[in-house]
Amino acid sequence: QVQLQESGPGLVKPWETLSLTCSVSGGPMTGYYWNWIRQPPGKGLEWIGYVYYNGKTNSAPSLKSRVTMSVDTSKNQFSLKLSSVTASDTAVYYCVRLGDGDYYFDYWGQGALVTVSS
Amino acid sequence: DIVMTQSPDSLAVSLGERATINCKSSQNLLYTSNNKDYLAWYQQKPGQPPKLLIYWASTRESGVPDRFSGSGSGTEFTLTISSLQAEDVAVYHCQQYYDTPYTFGQGTKLEIK
């Protein structure tokens, strides 16, 4: 059974960089797209972007200038950096798998709440 | 961006009754080359991540009860729960994977009447 687990600071100061890592177990990273999706408290889901197992990335235009994603298949991990955060970036951040050729989100992490506050 | 609009925003249905949630996309989600609609449905219970229910608009994910069904094509889609159970109380999200940025509907909150 594939499992994903987010880790990282739960509190980030305004204008600093949010950093999260997702650890993947129970299945290969090869052949999949590894995504970040966020959900502000009480609101809907927003796709942030993905990093393919070979390092190729794609992100939402609204966030592209602030997003950096990377993958380390030797450690079964991928990561997200979101720069210059503000209170509107406060959300639960999910790491999620997407299949190559399937394109729907089949495995989700439990989510990590990141609060932006001084 | 493809805009996904769900209706209603919230819904209260009696146990054992049918629940219907609609999802409309601003662009056609049907790829003619493979005749597949790039539309998925997810169920999200409080404090939990979303769970995949339906993909390709009408294919149930393994382990999902057969009271859940998806229908529709092109720009209009429906999630139907044929006989509502107490454990179906959740927020339901539709999502298009036709093109990036992948986008979700605003969610429909389903409650027991």
Side-chain angles (χ1 to χ4, degrees), chain B residues 26-77:
Chain B
S26 63
Q27 296 179 34
N28 184 15
L29 303 183
L30 175 65
Y31 250 120
T32 53
S33 60
N34 60 9
N35 201 37
K36 288 184 174 182
D37 286 282
Y38 283 51
L39 188 282
W41 289 96
Y42 302 85
Q43 176 193 63
Q44 186 177 25
K45 296 182 179 180
Q48 295 184 21
K51 171 191 170 185
L52 177 65
L53 291 178
I54 302 280
Y55 54 92
W56 300 128
S58 61
T59 302
R60 253 189 320 273
E61 172 71 329
S62 176
V64 172
D66 61 7
R67 64 179 180 273
F68 290 91
S69 63
S71 62
S73 184
T75 62
E76 302 203 359
F77 303 89

Side-chain angles (χ1 to χ4, degrees), chain A residues 39 42-45, chain B residues 3-10 21-24 44 91-95 103-109:
Chain A
Q39 185 172 36
K43 295 189 178 181
L45 298 159
Chain B
V3 177
M4 306 299 292
T5 304
Q6 292 180 228
S7 61
D9 290 335
S10 62
I21 299 170
N22 300 302
C23 177
K24 189 167 186 175
Q44 186 177 25
V91 175
Y92 292 83
H93 307 271
C94 63
Q95 177 245 331
T103 49
F104 294 83
Q106 79 275 21
T108 295
K109 186 175 185 179

Side-chain angles (χ1 to χ4, degrees), chain A residues 50-109:
Chain A
Y50 65 63
V51 55
Y52 196 37
Y53 76 97
N54 65 3
K56 180 183 82 169
T57 61
N58 187 356
S59 53
S62 61
L63 297 169
K64 197 177 188 71
S65 64
R66 297 195 291 132
V67 167
T68 303
M69 292 175 288
S70 60
V71 62
D72 186 339
T73 55
S74 67
K75 294 183 178 179
N76 285 337
Q77 291 180 337
F78 63 105
S79 64
L80 168 71
K81 292 186 186 301
L82 181 65
S83 63
S84 304
V85 297
T86 66
S88 63
D89 294 310
T90 294
V92 175
Y93 286 75
Y94 295 102
C95 57
V96 190
R97 192 183 83 165
L98 183 151
D100 188 354
D102 291 332
Y103 305 125
Y104 43 83
F105 300 115
D106 57 359
Y107 287 97
W108 298 63

Side-chain angles (χ1 to χ4, degrees), chain B residues 72-90:
Chain B
S73 184
T75 62
E76 302 203 359
F77 303 89
T78 300
L79 175 69
T80 302
I81 307 172
S82 60
S83 176
L84 189 70
Q85 306 299 303
E87 61 265 31
D88 301 334
V89 169

